[in-house]
Amino acid sequence: MSQPDPLFDMDGPADAELARLERELGRLRWHARELPREALVALPSRARVDDTELSPRPSSSGASRRTWRVPERALPWLVGLAAAAAVLVVAFVTRPTPPEPERVPAPLIQPAGSPPAPDLRDPFAGPREADAPTQTPALRDPFTPRQIAKTPTAPTHSDLVNPFESDRSASWPASSTRPVEEPQGLVDPFTRNHNAAARPDLRDPFAERSESSANATSPAADMPGSRSPDLVDPFSRPH
Amino acid sequence: MAVAAASMPSAPTETAAWLAWVEAARGGDRAAFGRLHRQFGRVVHGLLLARVDPSSADDLTQDVFISAWQRLHELREARAWPGWLSAIARRRALDHRRQLVRRPGTLPPELEDDQARHAEHALARSDAERMLTIIRALPEAYVEPLLLRLVEGMSGPEIAEHCDLSPGYVRVNLHRGMKLLRERLEQER
């Protein structure tokens, strides 16, 4: 048989110290008071709410119909979800429209499958072999001298001299067969020198001018009008 | 022997009683909740007395039961009622202390330092409050069982049942706390 434990079981005689503590501290003991009735009026009891929610409700048609109600705890979440969805919809509607992509211009070059119209000509295309004879001399491309030179049969205007012709003329050994008398006295200097060496009977029209212009200090001295005696070259050195 | 048997708490019967009251209270039975209030009022008061001053403990006890009534739907099982109610009481005491600390110029007695505690001893209105102050100074594990036993007059098995504790835990802490309390009281004399 176990010993009586007055402290734990409250069984058996308590010692003087324990009795004194019980007596003194017993004055602080809780005295039951009625709970205020107004505080117990509203009862958000789940049991009662569930009972009322799950009980079948009579409908007009007589058939029992279960009604779905949003739980109170889920209400803030649902409200937040709806607000987020509304914000997304507004952001989608009011989003800035992307700029329209720049329209790619239609290619000016017609595809190879369809032949170009005969009256249309590509101005940037180089002269073709077939077009070379029919090309107008006045519209000669100055940047393609060698291509033009390759067409010896092409008629050239008499008063137009190809400045790039000199390169080729210098390398021509049979240049003497070319016409020496150029119209209007315009002779290719290389041709002139060559002819002067080959044919002494031909006078170099520029020889005299070259000698006279050796002393000239200004390009104006080579001008045709500068031969006038009453004209003084303002750029010439004073003798 | 007969006296001992009569004084033994009829735990199964009492447990079945408050379990039925909890179930009834969850169904909206205010009378059943009133019985729970009377049955567990001592426990709540003792837990509050371990943390707040005696003058505030009575009012806070009412607050705890009102809060429990309003939040009764959160209780999952009726058997968890003692622990659930004890947790509400402890939390309510902490909230009360925080509110007192926030008020400028006021300091609850349970927060005063040792020097103020000695002054409180000198100004103690009764020996009960002086003993209460000494008990509060004991380790926390001893305070609640001692106050429930000495102030509220509950037996060890009742403390274990109403606080959702094991009887062995309550017995050990009661004896160790009582031994330490005797030593402190001897030092006070």
Side-chain angles (χ1 to χ4, degrees), chain A residues 169-199:
Chain A
S169 61
S171 62
W172 281 352
S175 61
S176 59
T177 58
R178 299 184 67 196
V180 176
E181 293 82 5
E182 291 285 355
Q184 308 279 329
L186 298 177
V187 180
D188 184 7
F190 292 93
T191 306
R192 184 187 64 214
N193 296 335
H194 182 76
N195 291 339
R199 298 179 61 180

Side-chain angles (χ1 to χ4, degrees), chain A residues 1 5-8 10 15 17 20-22 24 28-30 33-34 40 43-48, chain B residues 26-28 30 37 45 58 62 69-70 73 76 128 131 149 151 156 171 175 178 182 185 189:
Chain A
M1 190 168 181
D5 189 352
L7 183 61
F8 181 75
M10 299 179 70
D15 57 358
E17 186 71 26
R20 190 178 72 89
L21 285 171
E22 287 179 337
E24 291 293 334
L28 302 176
R29 187 168 297 176
W30 177 70
R33 288 190 300 171
E34 289 295 328
L40 303 181
L43 175 63
S45 175
R46 170 177 285 186
R48 290 202 310 178
Chain B
R26 293 176 70 188
R30 282 180 289 184
H37 174 246
H45 187 262
D58 288 340
Q62 301 293 91
W69 170 258
Q70 293 172 349
H73 62 278
R76 302 289 180 182
M131 292 178 185
R149 169 65 181 84
V151 175
R171 181 192 295 271
H175 283 279
M178 192 64 196
R182 291 178 196 270
L185 288 174
R189 292 181 185 139

Side-chain angles (χ1 to χ4, degrees), chain A residues 75-96:
Chain A
L75 198 58
W77 292 95
L78 293 177
V79 171
L81 195 63
V87 168
L88 285 177
V89 168
V90 170
F92 180 77
V93 170
T94 62
R95 74 187 191 283

Side-chain angles (χ1 to χ4, degrees), chain A residues 209-210 212-227 233:
Chain A
R209 289 172 57 183
S210 303
S212 62
S213 62
N215 297 328
T217 58
S218 171
D222 294 336
M223 297 180 67
S226 65
R227 296 278 178 188
D233 186 5

Side-chain angles (χ1 to χ4, degrees), chain A residues 117-169:
Chain A
D119 54 343
L120 293 178
R121 182 174 296 174
D122 186 3
F124 301 101
R128 291 178 294 180
E129 292 294 329
D131 296 338
T134 60
Q135 192 173 13
T136 306
L139 299 177
R140 187 177 298 164
D141 185 3
F143 300 103
T144 56
R146 296 186 182 278
Q147 292 183 0
I148 297 173
K150 287 179 181 177
T151 61
T153 57
T156 57
H157 200 272
S158 57
D159 55 352
L160 289 178
V161 176
N162 188 359
F164 303 100
E165 195 73 15
S166 58
D167 297 338
R168 198 174 58 176
S169 61

